[in-house]
Structure formats: structure tokens, C-alpha cells
Amino acid sequence: MSKHSIQPHAHHEPGHDNTGHDHGSYRSYLTGFVLAAILTIIPFAIVMSGGFDSRVLTAVTVIGFAVVQILVHMVYFLHMNTRSDEGWTMLSMIFTIIVVVIMIAGSVWVMYNLNTNMMPTMDHESFQGFGS
């Protein structure tokens, strides 16, 4: 073959390259933006209207919307999926989430125990979580 022979070209889908990475499209960015805006407006409206009767329900609802919004950002803006880098991106994200949850849960546990044990004269009955 001569050095000027025609090489077959790889088929490229819009928003993708041959490494498996998704670069997004205008439509995916717009979808992500709309979802992120909705997931911000709803909890804001809940809190500004005084929330639900239960403070725990209000807090759990706002945290739930925050978690969903994090997932929307990871999928639509950071382009994380199971196909990229043979799943290593998703695996490292799962590991990071586990470590962060352990750190936050441990910190809250330590702070609660310090508050309970270091402030014995304080009335802890009136501070039983968000539901009081």
C-alpha cells in the first residue's frame, strides 16, 4: 500500500469521542440547567414558606433535593457515567461518597457525644433533634 492510501474513519457521534468520554451537547446542558434550577427553586420555596410541620421532614426533604442535584451535576455537567474510563470514574466517585459519609457521620456522632457529656447542666431534653 502506498502512504497515501485511504484510511477508514471512525464514526463519531455528536458529543462523544473514541475514548468513551461524553462531552455533552447543547440539549444535555440545557436539560441539566433546567433540572438544577428546579431542584434549587423547590427547596427554597419550601423553606421560605415556613417548611413542613415537622422540622425533620423539612430537613430531610431539602437534603434529598440537594443529593439529587449533586447527581444531576455529575451526570449532565461532569459527564460521569459507567462507560467513561471503563467504570473507574464511577468507582472512584462511589469510594469518595462512602468516605465522605463516614467522615460526616463520625463528626456528628462525636459532636453529639461531646455536647451530651461535656455539658451535663444543659437541658438536653429540649434539644432532641430537629423535631422539637
Side-chain angles (χ1 to χ4, degrees):
M1 287 203 167
S2 70
K3 64 179 184 178
H4 296 292
S5 64
I6 298 174
Q7 297 292 324
H9 295 295
H11 180 302
H12 295 291
E13 294 180 28
H16 296 283
D17 62 12
N18 58 0
T19 62
H21 297 288
D22 182 16
H23 294 293
S25 65
Y26 179 76
R27 182 177 181 192
S28 70
Y29 283 121
L30 187 62
T31 303
F33 175 75
V34 169
L35 287 173
I38 290 170
L39 292 170
T40 300
I41 292 168
I42 292 173
F44 183 79
I46 291 171
V47 171
M48 290 306 291
S49 68
F52 301 118
D53 291 336
S54 169
R55 291 176 64 185
V56 173
L57 180 61
T58 302
V60 168
T61 302
V62 170
I63 291 170
F65 275 102
V67 169
V68 173
Q69 189 169 110
I70 289 170
L71 294 174
V72 166
H73 283 264
M74 288 187 336
V75 170
Y76 287 98
F77 300 120
L78 297 177
H79 312 295
M80 295 185 75
N81 57 37
T82 54
R83 294 173 299 179
S84 298
D85 295 330
E86 298 176 6
W88 286 109
T89 305
M90 190 60 67
L91 188 64
S92 64
M93 178 55 63
I94 291 169
F95 175 74
T96 303
I97 290 170
I98 290 171
V99 169
V100 168
V101 167
I102 290 171
M103 290 176 55
I104 290 173
S107 297
V108 169
W109 182 29
V110 167
M111 288 187 290
Y112 175 79
N113 283 317
L114 283 174
N115 183 43
T116 302
N117 295 323
M118 300 299 285
M119 305 293 283
T121 59
M122 189 173 188
D123 181 23
H124 294 290
E125 297 300 319
S126 62
F127 295 104
Q128 292 183 353
F130 293 104
S132 59

